[in-house]
C-alpha cells in the first residue's frame, strides 16, 4: 500500500508543474575576422554542434518555440543555429509535423529539384531545452508508465 501511495504522490508531482516561460539552447559564440584587403574587421555568429558553445535563454514571446537549424551552404560549409523563434517554413519545403498528433515538434526540410532534401533543415519544438543534440528525454507519461510497472510488479 505504501508503494501505491508513493506512486500516486510522484504522479501528482510530475503532473503539476509551475507554468514558466520556455527555455531553449542558444548560440552566442562569435568569431572576429579581418578582411585581407580592406582590413575591415567583422564579427559573425558561429554556432556549432558542440554543447560547450551553447547557453540557455528564456523565450520572451509565448508564440516562440525552441529552434534548431542547419543550413548547408556547400559541401564543406554548414551553418548551425539555435534559440527561440516563432515557427516558419516554406511551401516548397518538406514538412514533418508531430504537433497535431500529440508530439512536440515541426521540421521543414529544404528540397532541391527532383524533391531531394538538400540537408538544410529548420526544426521547432515546444518543450524546455528540446533543441539540443539528438538525445531524447523521457516524457512524463513514459516515467509514469515505468513507475506503474514497478508498482504492479512488486505489489502483486
Amino acid at each position: 500500500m505504501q508503494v501505491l501511495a508513493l506512486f500516486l504522490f510522484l504522479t501528482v508531482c510530475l503532473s503539476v508543474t509551475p507554468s514558466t516561460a520556455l527555455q531553449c539552447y542558444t548560440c552566442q559564440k562569435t568569431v572576429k575576422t579581418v578582411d585581407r584587403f580592406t582590413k575591415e574587421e567583422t564579427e559573425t555568429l558561429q554556432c556549432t554542434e558542440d554543447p560547450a558553445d551553447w547557453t540557455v535563454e528564456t523565450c520572451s514571446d509565448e508564440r516562440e518555440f525552441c529552434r534548431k537549424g542547419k543550413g548547408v551552404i556547400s559541401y564543406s560549409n554548414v551553418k548551425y543555429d539555435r534559440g527561440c523563434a516563432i515557427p516558419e517554413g516554406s511551401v516548397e519545403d518538406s514538412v514533418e509535423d508531430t504537433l497535431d498528433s500529440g508530439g512536440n515538434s515541426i521540421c521543414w526540410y529544404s528540397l532541391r529539384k527532383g524533391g531531394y532534401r538538400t540537408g538544410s533543415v529548420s526544426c521547432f519544438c515546444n518543450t524546455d531545452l528540446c533543441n539540443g543534440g539528438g538525445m531524447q528525454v523521457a516524457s512524463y507519461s513514459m516515467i509514469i508508465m515505468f513507475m506503474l510497472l514497478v508498482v504492479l510488479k512488486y505489489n502483486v
Side-chain angles (χ1 to χ4, degrees):
M1 191 65 181
Q2 288 177 343
V3 176
L4 184 58
L6 178 63
F7 169 74
L8 291 174
F9 174 74
L10 288 174
T11 302
V12 170
C13 288
L14 290 173
S15 300
V16 180
T17 57
S19 177
T20 58
L22 184 64
Q23 290 192 320
C24 304
Y25 288 112
T26 186
C27 279
Q28 298 300 326
K29 180 180 178 183
T30 57
V31 175
K32 288 184 182 180
T33 56
V34 178
D35 184 274
R36 94 180 223 202
F37 299 110
T38 66
K39 306 298 182 211
E40 185 177 313
E41 194 174 286
T42 58
E43 195 170 347
T44 57
L45 189 64
Q46 185 175 6
C47 188
T48 67
E49 284 288 278
D50 183 1
D53 293 339
W54 309 342
T55 57
V56 175
E57 79 172 307
T58 300
C59 299
S60 58
D61 188 329
E62 65 183 28
R63 298 173 298 163
E64 290 178 317
F65 281 45
C66 293
R67 180 177 192 278
K68 180 180 180 183
K70 175 183 173 186
V72 178
I73 312 307
S74 66
Y75 180 74
S76 61
N77 188 3
V78 178
K79 302 280 186 197
Y80 298 96
D81 66 88
R82 284 179 168 71
C84 297
I86 297 172
E88 62 180 340
S90 171
V91 175
E92 295 85 29
D93 294 340
S94 170
V95 179
E96 285 183 13
D97 185 353
T98 67
L99 296 172
D100 289 336
S101 62
N104 75 332
S105 65
I106 183 167
C107 295
W108 283 275
Y109 296 87
S110 294
L111 300 176
R112 67 179 132 188
K113 196 172 188 176
Y116 299 102
R117 290 183 178 174
T118 65
S120 295
V121 60
S122 185
C123 290
F124 298 86
C125 51
N126 60 8
T127 55
D128 283 338
L129 306 177
C130 58
N131 64 335
M135 181 176 58
Q136 295 293 323
V137 178
S139 67
Y140 286 140
S141 58
M142 291 297 292
I143 293 169
I144 290 169
M145 287 174 41
F146 175 73
M147 289 173 28
L148 182 59
L149 285 172
V150 169
V151 167
L152 291 175
K153 178 175 175 133
Y154 293 106
N155 230 8
V156 175

